[in-house]
Amino acid sequence: MSPQILDIHVDSPDDNGAAMRQEIRSGLQAMGQKTFPTMLLYDNRGLRIYDDITTKASEYYLFGAEEEILKTKADDIVRTMHASTGVSHGQVVLELGSGSLRKTSHILRSLANVAQPASSQTPPITYYALDLEQRELQRTLEGINHSDLGPMLEGKVSTRGMWGTYDDGLKYVQSGGLNVPAPQIPLDRTRFSRDFVSDERDRSPHSDSQSSAADDSPPSTPGETQPPLHILFLGSSLGNFPREDGAAFLRSLPLRPGAGDTLLLGLDHDNEKGVIEKAYNDSQGITRDFILNGLKAAGRVFGDEKLFEESNWEYVNRYDPKTRIHEAFLQCKADHQVKDPSDGSILASFVKHELVKMEQSVKFSDTDAYTLFSESGLRPVQRWTDSTGRYSLWLLERPTLTFPLLSSAISCNRQGLLVPKTLYSSSTFGVPSPQEWENLWALWDLVTRTMIPPSMLFQKPIDLRHICLFYLGHIPTFLDIHLTRLLKEQHTEPENFKDIFERGIDPNVDDPTQCHPHSEVPSDENDWPNLSSILGFQSRVRQRVLDLYKSFDTGARTLDRKTGRVLFMTYEHEALHVETLLYMLLQRAGTGTLPPLGFSPPDWPSLKDSWATALRPTSSTVKLGPAKLTLGHDDIESEDATATDAREHEYGWDNESPKRTVEVGEFRIEWRPVTNGEYYKFIKEKGGNLPASWVEQDGEVQVRTLFGPVSMDTAWEWPVIAMYDDLSRYAIVKGGRLPTETELRLFYDLFDSGYEGGSNVGFRNWHPTPATTGADSSGKGSNGGVWEWTSTVFDAEPGFQASLLYPGYSQDFFDGAHNVVLGGSYATIPRIAGRRSVRNWYQRNYPYAWVGGRVAYDVQNCSI
Ligand SMILES: C[S@@+](CC[C@H](N)C(=O)[O-])C[C@H]1O[C@@H](n2cnc3c(N)ncnc32)[C@H](O)[C@@H]1O
């Protein structure tokens, strides 16, 4: 039986022809660089030649590299693809630009291995190959069905074609082409629903959380739903899009936030120039034929294959390492003109040596790849790289929230979709936009409403802090108090929340009776406000924030420096509390805390495998200094009253100012923080307590994660999270010490890739990862997603002025017991992890915060 092929063209063939003629015309009549549409390359003949490139041109490493990954890792990939949803019946695997299907066969085989045979007529998985040429689709799908794979797929994976363009395919899915009757999904009763929460004690008949600031999910077609969708986009095909268009294309993919839909994407690395140029100009001239074939295809669109005479052209190519783009051109051999056969008008004039661009192949450094994903609202779940390190396959998902780049003009809304930011500041660290607030609220709600089961609301995951419920009330109360003071208005009701929730506790670890001033909280569970009243309050306070922005827009209120400061401060306060709440919740992961909803659970065995092969630095330390550097910035709160630059100003916490210049001598410092593995061996040898980030279960030491404890083996290479006193002892036994604030700052300035460069901060993962610093020639990378201890005691720097809005923020901790920590963890939002002046601090023997450490050495003592 011949394969079923759906014609998904949105426009009729006549319209398509007219559109392509117009595209060719405008490309050849462009004032700047002339171009032919790349799509011309993939006619029936072009696809056959492309197949020859992949099988006969050994220089074209991309195909072999991707094939190697798929041959060896397809089972891992398919397993990871289904981590969230399992292999559900009715799922669709859709391949964009499927080509020869040779590599795809490995995925199909693994899909057949995991699919349960169908009990009904329909196999559980449907694979669609989407491409431009119907005949090629027919041929390649028949090839699969008649190969040894055919019988393996029977009853498990049905294979079909979609004939059309990428855009046609996406429109087909978006308009419900794949939809199936909606299953009755049982509610997960262990979690709060996103829009309303109720617990046993909550007897209120209604909730205010349904107000306009509450959840507003998009409507869905009643009775129908898009099936679980896994998109494959292989062959470095995304590289044919201009870089910015690539992100826009990925944004447009119909992957639903938090639904377990995935994208498997092949990206070529920014390899060496010579290697790339040879890959696209093989010694047998097959790529040359492929590109020249585009001329015939262009002519055919105008009804004459010979319209663009091949003998007038030759093939040239070049790779620019700066832009990381390879370009394939046709170069004109002689001046000539081409006429439009339909009316005899001049279609294009060419001069000798002129270049007409036929194709570009964008390459991706790690930073480029992370930029692309962040700008597309996608999260890398896992990455597989070929054995030569030239090419990667990335499995991506669209989680319920992502943080776009700091420099981005977009933000993530509460449905996990990307929306334009309305900017109220030209500074990266200025007044947060309303969309950034929405993103933060999505994060806060994710943590408080999906990770804390009702049974834990009245529990303290760690001593030294309040019950979980306190923090749900504290965040809106803090915000409301500051808005009330600023606007000189009434408090949001109920007003007495300010007496219960204004300030949390942060007792001295050694003597918990010593505590800074804090609110008196009820001692009896029954005296706490109920949850729905807290959420109703939260919703009204959020609305108050949004109304404030509206008042700037209407001109009813001016955005002055002080107003901006209140917005900055309350925003970052909430973000910092997400992290502190999470480190509390970590202590109950596996015994109470639920994993984050809408993020795929990690496939630890395959992650462990890929971490084991990651590159390491060739030496363990790097020598730095002497150097002079500037710490902090100038954000003087006492100038707020007279300043007129609220929309340009960079805000920070009081301890970040003023700017100061410091000097640092020569020192050596480890490329990477102390790992779990190193610390485990150290404790075995020298004794010592287990850090609070570990847990002993059934006689085995495991490492805590928000998904539950994992084996020490899995987390061996992650930075260890431990208190200062323990890491300082480790460093001293190793013959070194923990670095000073200035030394660590200098290291970060030189080698930390930051969120924009792919660091493990900003909720890219919900667990640490192995550090990557020091592995390549730039040395840049991530420390694995932890703050880092410094030996610098937290104290007032010269010129320090306590915040007027929040006087105790820093100065309450200038007690000699706290040390400065720098950087940020996987649960620090990019804005805080990325502001160079940020200093955080913890008590030296506080065990819970997500802080690691690296060893520094005085140069004269260093034998490494
Ligand atoms: C670089 S090849 C990759 C083929 C295959 N995925 C592989 O990895 O070997 C690009 C594929 O995408 C198809 N293609 C190119 N532009 C397309 C478009 N706009 N819509 C649909 N398919 C397209 C081509 O026909 C070709 O099969």
Side-chain angles (χ1 to χ4, degrees):
M1 211 172 71
S2 62
Q4 188 188 344
I5 298 191
L6 302 176
D7 180 352
I8 53 161
H9 286 98
V10 173
D11 299 320
S12 71
D14 280 355
D15 292 344
N16 278 333
M20 184 51 94
R21 279 192 291 280
Q22 189 44 42
E23 208 180 324
I24 295 174
R25 251 184 231 115
S26 47
L28 295 182
Q29 291 167 5
M31 295 301 285
Q33 172 68 62
K34 287 183 186 157
T35 57
F36 275 117
T38 302
M39 229 200 277
L40 291 173
L41 296 175
Y42 297 101
D43 63 353
N44 281 309
R45 181 159 180 268
L47 280 168
R48 300 286 181 101
I49 307 177
Y50 179 74
D51 207 19
D52 283 348
I53 296 177
T54 63
T55 46
K56 297 181 186 151
S58 54
E59 296 93 333
Y60 191 70
Y61 61 87
L62 291 82
F63 189 90
E66 193 170 65
E67 191 172 40
E68 176 206 304
I69 302 171
L70 288 171
K71 247 188 200 160
T72 53
K73 300 290 177 195
D75 285 346
D76 275 7
I77 292 172
V78 164
R79 199 177 59 241
T80 313
M81 219 181 230
H82 294 102
S84 280
T85 54
V87 188
S88 51
H89 195 99
Q91 67 172 276
V92 168
V93 177
L94 167 60
E95 178 162 12
L96 302 176
S98 50
S100 70
L101 298 188
R102 228 157 341 103
K103 281 173 293 173
T104 314
S105 62
H106 301 290
I107 296 271
L108 292 174
R109 185 169 288 115
S110 298
L111 285 170
N113 289 341
V114 295
Q116 295 302 316
S119 50
S120 64
Q121 288 283 332
T122 14
I125 302 176
T126 307
Y127 165 81
Y128 286 97
L130 180 152
D131 216 308
L132 295 168
E133 293 288 348
Q134 189 183 24
R135 255 195 297 149
E136 276 300 293
L137 279 171
Q138 195 87 27
R139 185 183 73 83
T140 52
L141 286 169
E142 271 171 4
I144 290 280
N145 292 340
H146 295 148
S147 70
D148 343 335
L149 193 54
M152 293 173 68
L153 300 179
E154 253 166 53
K156 294 180 167 179
V157 183
S158 74
T159 55
R160 296 183 191 168
M162 276 191 191
W163 173 35
T165 64
Y166 303 142
D167 289 344
D168 293 333
L170 302 187
K171 281 187 190 128
Y172 182 76
V173 178
Q174 274 146 356
S175 62
L178 296 174
N179 278 12
V180 289
Q184 296 299 309
I185 301 164
L187 282 178
D188 184 352
R189 289 281 165 210
T190 55
R191 295 176 189 241
F192 301 137
S193 80
R194 185 118 174 220
D195 56 351
F196 184 61
V197 179
S198 102
D199 71 319
E200 287 112 59
R201 288 195 323 97
D202 188 350
R203 281 180 268 283
S204 78
H206 68 276
S207 162
D208 294 318
S209 65
Q210 287 155 353
S211 81
S212 62
D215 185 64
D216 41 349
S217 327
S220 59
T221 317
E224 275 210 338
T225 182
Q226 182 183 306
L229 179 64
H230 301 288
I231 298 178
L232 313 179
F233 200 22
L234 307 179
S236 177
S237 298
L238 186 80
N240 292 145
F241 290 72
R243 212 178 276 284
E244 323 68 60
D245 294 3
F249 181 72
L250 296 190
R251 275 203 293 277
S252 75
L253 295 180
L255 303 167
R256 292 153 302 172
D261 296 341
T262 62
L263 165 68
L264 184 68
L265 180 70
L267 293 183
D268 193 18
H269 297 184
D270 55 335
N271 297 310
E272 210 217 305
K273 181 176 162 71
V275 170
I276 291 179
E277 285 182 347
K278 272 199 194 127
Y280 291 90
N281 202 353
D282 60 278
S283 51
Q284 299 167 72
I286 312 177
T287 311
R288 176 187 169 278
D289 291 350
F290 176 65
I291 299 293
L292 285 170
N293 179 59
L295 291 171
K296 280 204 183 73
R300 209 178 310 122
V301 176
F302 289 89
D304 175 6
E305 256 198 7
K306 298 218 172 86
L307 186 63
F308 298 94
E309 183 48 58
E310 209 176 295
S311 58
N312 279 334
W313 300 91
E314 62 192 340
Y315 172 53
V316 287
N317 72 319
R318 65 173 182 225
Y319 175 68
D320 179 354
K322 272 210 202 98
T323 57
R324 299 167 307 288
I325 295 175
H326 176 270
E327 291 169 303
F329 296 99
L330 288 163
Q331 186 169 42
C332 185
K333 290 194 202 162
D335 296 357
H336 69 284
Q337 289 187 328
V338 174
K339 290 192 178 149
D340 188 331
S342 65
D343 57 10
S345 64
I346 295 183
L347 180 60
S349 304
F350 303 106
V351 290
K352 193 175 173 181
H353 299 312
E354 180 174 6
L355 294 175
V356 181
K357 188 151 89 174
M358 197 72 195
E359 185 193 43
Q360 67 170 358
S361 305
V362 174
K363 307 295 169 188
F364 293 84
S365 66
D366 279 8
T367 302
D368 294 332
Y370 282 105
T371 302
L372 172 73
F373 306 149
S374 303
E375 292 301 274
S376 315
L378 295 172
R379 182 185 91 87
V381 175
Q382 202 159 327
R383 169 189 196 168
W384 293 269
T385 299
D386 76 299
S387 56
T388 64
R390 288 175 176 165
Y391 191 91
S392 289
L393 272 182
W394 297 82
L395 186 73
L396 302 148
E397 68 176 352
R398 178 159 293 147
T400 38
L401 69 99
T402 54
F403 285 91
L405 299 184
L406 286 168
S407 53
S408 180
I410 51 175
S411 179
C412 180
N413 71 9
R414 268 186 285 166
Q415 283 74 48
L417 299 171
L418 297 176
V419 290
K421 259 196 256 180
T422 313
L423 289 177
Y424 288 82
S425 174
S426 56
S427 162
T428 312
F429 304 107
V431 181
S433 72
Q435 291 76 26
E436 284 171 280
W437 276 102
E438 298 259 352
N439 197 9
L440 180 62
W441 292 335
L443 174 64
W444 181 258
D445 291 349
L446 176 75
V447 172
T448 55
R449 299 188 193 194
T450 78
M451 299 179 71
I452 307 174
S455 58
M456 268 179 66
L457 267 185
F458 288 89
Q459 293 175 3
K460 291 183 181 183
I462 59 175
D463 23 328
L464 307 176
R465 290 287 188 276
H466 282 310
I467 60 169
C468 294
L469 185 74
F470 172 84
Y471 298 94
L472 271 102
H474 172 61
I475 292 303
T477 301
F478 182 87
L479 180 51
D480 195 56
I481 288 172
H482 285 280
L483 290 177
T484 301
R485 281 186 201 146
L486 173 79
L487 303 172
K488 300 192 174 54
E489 291 171 357
Q490 301 285 307
H491 283 281
T492 303
E493 288 294 331
E495 200 185 335
N496 74 328
F497 274 15
K498 70 179 184 333
D499 306 323
I500 308 168
F501 294 118
E502 177 171 2
R503 190 164 177 192
I505 46 167
D506 190 1
N508 186 295
V509 177
D510 303 315
D511 177 6
T513 59
Q514 283 186 39
C515 220
H516 303 116
H518 58 273
S519 314
E520 280 312 318
V521 296
S523 50
D524 188 319
E525 195 177 296
N526 289 304
D527 295 336
W528 284 88
N530 68 34
L531 185 59
S532 65
S533 67
I534 295 177
L535 293 177
F537 175 74
Q538 175 195 69
S539 174
R540 289 188 291 277
V541 179
R542 287 178 178 180
Q543 189 58 52
R544 198 173 178 191
V545 172
L546 298 179
D547 289 345
L548 180 57
Y549 283 94
K550 272 193 212 129
S551 71
F552 305 144
D553 298 343
T554 59
R557 208 188 146 83
T558 310
L559 173 53
D560 56 28
R561 213 10 138 103
K562 184 171 174 192
T563 306
R565 185 173 304 285
V566 168
L567 289 166
F568 138 79
M569 183 184 75
T570 48
Y571 180 86
E572 290 202 359
H573 170 261
E574 181 162 344
L576 288 166
H577 263 285
V578 174
E579 180 166 352
T580 55
L581 187 54
L582 281 172
Y583 76 60
M584 288 164 55
L585 294 177
L586 180 75
Q587 294 298 314
R588 294 289 312 280
T591 59
T593 305
L594 298 165
L597 193 65
F599 283 75
S600 282
D603 186 62
W604 298 119
S606 63
L607 280 171
K608 190 179 129 196
D609 268 8
S610 63
W611 292 333
T613 54
L615 290 177
R616 276 147 232 273
T618 46
S619 66
S620 77
T621 63
V622 56
K623 192 157 123 194
L624 299 180
K628 196 184 246 193
L629 58 165
T630 309
L631 299 184
H633 66 175
D634 284 329
D635 165 36
I636 312 300
E637 191 179 335
S638 53
E639 294 170 1
D640 281 1
T642 50
T644 53
D645 61 349
R647 289 179 188 261
E648 294 85 42
H649 188 66
E650 171 172 320
Y651 292 95
W653 296 92
D654 55 7
N655 63 62
E656 296 174 46
S657 291
K659 200 187 266 181
R660 60 206 162 90
T661 302
V662 288
E663 289 188 11
V664 60
E666 213 178 28
F667 63 102
R668 272 195 174 273
I669 188 160
E670 296 275 345
W671 278 114
R672 296 182 174 188
V674 185
T675 62
N676 280 312
E678 286 165 337
Y679 197 65
Y680 181 75
K681 285 204 246 165
F682 175 75
I683 287 199
K684 283 236 144 179
E685 234 175 74
K686 311 271 180 206
N689 294 325
L690 298 192
S693 61
W694 296 357
V695 56
E696 198 158 353
Q697 272 188 359
D698 309 323
E700 197 197 322
V701 176
Q702 301 199 324
V703 177
R704 293 180 194 274
T705 80
L706 291 164
F707 299 89
V710 296
S711 71
M712 181 55 78
D713 266 9
T714 302
W716 192 259
E717 299 278 352
W718 299 357
V720 65
I721 291 173
M723 54 193 186
Y724 177 91
D725 289 347
D726 288 346
L727 285 172
S728 173
R729 172 174 163 252
Y730 175 94
I732 290 165
V733 172
K734 291 279 158 193
R737 55 184 172 75
L738 292 176
T740 62
E741 179 180 0
T742 316
E743 287 170 339
L744 188 59
R745 181 74 268 154
L746 179 62
F747 179 85
Y748 282 170
D749 283 353
L750 296 169
F751 301 118
D752 182 44
S753 54
Y755 183 70
E756 325 288 277
S759 273
N760 186 23
V761 294
F763 296 89
R764 283 206 161 105
N765 294 292
W766 291 72
H767 54 81
T769 52
T772 55
T773 29
D776 70 18
S777 55
S778 75
K780 282 199 173 209
S782 165
N783 77 352
V786 290
W787 294 87
E788 286 191 49
W789 287 110
T790 75
S791 59
T792 304
V793 173
F794 185 54
D795 209 344
E797 294 299 333
F800 169 82
Q801 292 176 25
S803 166
L804 302 169
L805 290 173
Y806 190 171
Y809 177 74
S810 299
Q811 67 182 0
D812 279 359
F813 301 90
F814 294 155
D815 55 6
H818 293 77
N819 272 38
V820 173
V821 306
L822 294 184
S825 83
Y826 60 87
T828 310
I829 62 163
R831 177 184 172 113
I832 296 176
R835 192 168 64 248
R836 187 179 171 276
S837 52
V838 167
R839 313 168 81 203
N840 202 353
W841 64 93
Y842 285 107
Q843 220 170 303
R844 285 187 290 277
N845 53 354
Y846 187 59
Y848 301 116
W850 289 343
V851 191
R854 74 180 70 221
V855 185
Y857 305 87
D858 296 331
V859 163
Q860 59 275 28
N861 295 343
C862 184
S863 54
I864 300 167

